[in-house]
Amino acid sequence: MRNRGLLLLAILCAVLPLSGCWDAEELNRRAVVSGIGIDRAPGEQEYRVSFQVIIADEISGKSGRGATPTMVYSAQGRSVMEAVRKVSLLVPRLVSTAHTRIVVISEELARQGISDIVDFLDRDSDIRLTTKIYIAKNGVQAHDIISGLTPMGKITAYSIAQKTEMTAQEFGANYPIELDDIIRDLLVPDSGPVINGVDILGSAKEVGKKSNLEKTDNLGIIRMSNLALFKGDKLKGWLDEEESLGLVWIKDKMNKTPIIIAPDGLGEISLDVRRSKTSIRVIPKDPEHPVVVVKVTAQLSIREMDSTIDLRDPAALSALEVYVNKEIVKKMKSAVSKAQSLNSDIFCFGQKFERQHPKAWKQLKGKWSDLFPKLEVEYQVDSIVRNSQMRDRSFKYDLKEE
């Protein structure tokens, strides 16, 4: 009995320090936020913060009234935090941002600087570092993106995040960019982050109407756009499609992408990149004139041919690989040229130099901003055509023989 009493006393002492969920809030008293939009309030030096709140009854479908699956609430404040608190004037529940999947920032606000916004997102204990960040492009307000409805996927914020994952896997001009990625890039001197752009194809007014979902040809649809280039915390410009692809190649984020080549007199040939690897090496030949070597290895398959080339001929495949190499180099050069014109080391070449040659870097510390615009970059691309899918030669080859 005595041993049992001592055991119970020990258990009691172990349980007493456990406080439990002291700040727990029942789900029916929470407004679960799936996406946040941040704009500059029209004509005022205030933030306009919009929350896309999930309507649980509509998602479950059991007690739904046929309304939209999400609702958007907006408020203004001198800081993001003040705007968040003012949302309580509109929402009868505690606004919960723990499940926020995306944050959209307007282009106007991004050009003024996003450091305050990033500080709030990083400091907030609910918002996760894996939250994906976007810039609303072409004059579209972040509020319009957050207010949009998508025909595939009930929750727009989740649908946009899925679009990012899908286009990264299939096309390659974008890749998922999270809050943690942006913070890391902001900490690199003379650099800046790149952030995915998002805009509206069609009417911004129609994209938020439920009637738009009842049409086979949507009058407004949210789409992924090209990458935004920053210097420090300020948006400096936009990469076009070719430059975006080049940046993804250099950053070793490429999964799949189509490449179209046109060998002289042989018609167009479309290839699909199936695997890719990029490595970057800095050579300090001259401390004042380092050379960056970008090496890419890629494996491809032939997917479409407007040509009568004989793919059984190893020499013919080798000739195609030369054209592919030139096309990849062209894209990477365009990305580097754009970054150098805006003097933003978005590739973190300087950081790689510091890590690979710390002693040589000490001589250049503080000078990288002057060196980067004229930095010499060499490209080494080794591509291999692995297969041609279900056929080697096109049926047009047989027509030519006849």
Side-chain angles (χ1 to χ4, degrees):
M1 291 294 294
R2 182 180 178 183
N3 291 337
R4 184 177 298 178
L6 291 174
L7 178 61
L8 291 175
L9 181 61
I11 293 174
L12 180 62
C13 292
V15 170
L16 284 176
L18 301 179
S19 59
C21 299
W22 61 272
D23 63 342
E25 193 77 33
E26 295 297 331
L27 187 60
N28 60 4
R29 289 185 55 82
R30 287 182 178 270
V32 179
V33 175
S34 55
I36 300 175
I38 306 176
D39 298 291
R40 179 67 73 187
E44 301 181 37
Q45 290 299 312
E46 290 188 344
Y47 293 103
R48 181 194 185 194
V49 182
S50 304
F51 293 93
Q52 184 185 93
V53 177
I54 299 173
I55 309 299
D57 292 342
E58 300 300 331
I59 297 298
S60 65
K62 295 180 180 179
S63 57
R65 299 166 295 174
T68 57
T70 56
M71 185 67 184
V72 175
Y73 297 95
S74 300
Q76 293 182 198
R78 289 175 298 174
S79 67
V80 178
M81 187 68 252
E82 184 179 41
V84 171
R85 291 290 180 252
K86 283 187 176 180
V87 171
S88 63
L89 298 171
L90 308 172
V91 185
R93 298 183 181 182
L94 176 65
V95 174
S96 174
T97 57
H99 296 279
T100 300
R101 187 71 65 86
I102 70 169
V103 174
V104 183
I105 304 170
S106 69
E107 181 175 348
E108 176 190 6
L109 197 53
R111 290 191 180 276
Q112 297 173 10
I114 62 172
S115 58
D116 291 347
I117 298 172
V118 171
D119 178 79
F120 165 75
L121 298 174
D122 180 39
R123 194 178 297 275
D124 192 283
S125 60
D126 286 337
I127 296 177
R128 305 177 187 184
L129 291 175
T130 56
T131 301
K132 293 179 174 60
I133 312 297
Y134 300 85
I135 303 296
K137 192 181 178 184
N138 295 329
V140 176
Q141 294 291 297
H143 176 270
D144 296 332
I145 301 294
I146 294 298
S147 301
L149 297 173
T150 55
M152 299 182 69
K154 292 184 178 181
I155 304 173
T156 305
Y158 294 178
S159 177
I160 293 174
Q162 290 168 357
K163 285 181 183 180
T164 310
E165 300 283 353
M166 185 54 61
T167 190
Q169 292 177 15
E170 296 297 322
F171 184 58
N174 302 85
Y175 65 95
I177 298 170
E178 301 174 346
L179 174 59
D180 188 49
D181 299 321
I182 294 172
I183 294 172
R184 290 174 186 273
D185 288 340
L186 286 172
L187 292 174
V188 179
D190 303 312
S191 180
V194 289
I195 303 179
N196 286 308
V198 63
D199 64 0
I200 296 174
L201 180 63
S203 172
K205 293 181 179 180
E206 294 293 332
V207 77
K209 295 181 180 179
K210 188 182 177 184
S211 59
N212 189 43
L213 302 181
E214 300 169 354
K215 300 183 173 91
T216 57
D217 187 10
N218 300 96
L219 297 177
I221 188 168
I222 299 172
R223 66 174 178 181
M224 296 297 301
S225 188
N226 298 322
L227 295 167
L229 185 154
F230 282 70
K231 174 68 180 291
D233 75 324
K234 293 181 173 60
L235 172 63
K236 292 299 181 181
W238 292 90
L239 303 180
D240 61 25
E241 185 176 290
E242 183 173 86
E243 293 163 351
S244 295
L245 286 166
L247 179 136
V248 175
W249 278 108
I250 294 174
K251 280 186 167 284
D252 195 24
K253 301 290 185 179
M254 185 61 72
N255 292 310
K256 294 181 184 177
T257 191
I259 292 181
I260 301 175
I261 59 175
D264 297 335
L266 297 177
E268 288 190 344
I269 300 176
S270 298
L271 302 98
D272 195 19
V273 174
R274 308 297 296 180
R275 189 173 298 172
S276 171
K277 180 65 178 178
T278 303
S279 61
I280 297 175
R281 184 165 52 98
V282 182
I283 304 175
K285 292 181 179 179
D286 177 354
E288 294 292 333
H289 302 89
V291 177
V292 175
V293 179
V294 180
K295 184 177 181 179
V296 175
T297 56
Q299 298 182 19
L300 306 94
S301 63
I302 296 175
R303 301 302 300 265
E304 188 176 349
M305 288 181 60
D306 181 21
S307 174
T308 57
I309 189 173
D310 187 357
L311 296 179
R312 297 176 303 177
D313 183 3
L317 290 177
S318 297
L320 295 184
E321 291 166 358
V322 172
Y323 281 95
V324 170
N325 293 344
K326 291 180 179 179
E327 191 65 27
I328 296 174
V329 169
K330 178 184 174 185
K331 288 178 170 56
M332 292 193 293
K333 278 186 175 180
S334 66
V336 171
S337 177
K338 185 61 168 288
Q340 287 182 322
S341 68
L342 297 175
N343 196 12
S344 177
D345 184 11
I346 53 177
F347 314 103
C348 297
F349 288 153
Q351 186 182 63
K352 289 179 172 58
F353 189 4
E354 181 181 11
R355 290 175 176 175
Q356 295 176 15
H357 307 282
K359 291 183 179 180
W361 174 257
K362 290 181 180 180
Q363 301 178 36
L364 299 179
K365 194 173 183 179
K367 301 179 183 179
W368 193 251
S369 181
D370 298 325
L371 293 175
F372 177 73
K374 51 189 178 182
L375 181 68
E376 181 182 351
V377 182
E378 294 181 358
Y379 306 92
Q380 299 175 359
V381 181
D382 182 17
S383 59
I384 303 174
V385 178
R386 286 295 187 192
N387 62 72
S388 58
Q389 298 296 308
M390 298 296 292
R391 294 182 66 92
D392 47 20
R393 298 165 300 174
S394 170
F395 67 89
K396 298 177 184 179
Y397 182 84
D398 297 327
L399 294 176
K400 182 188 74 170
E401 291 296 312
E402 294 177 2

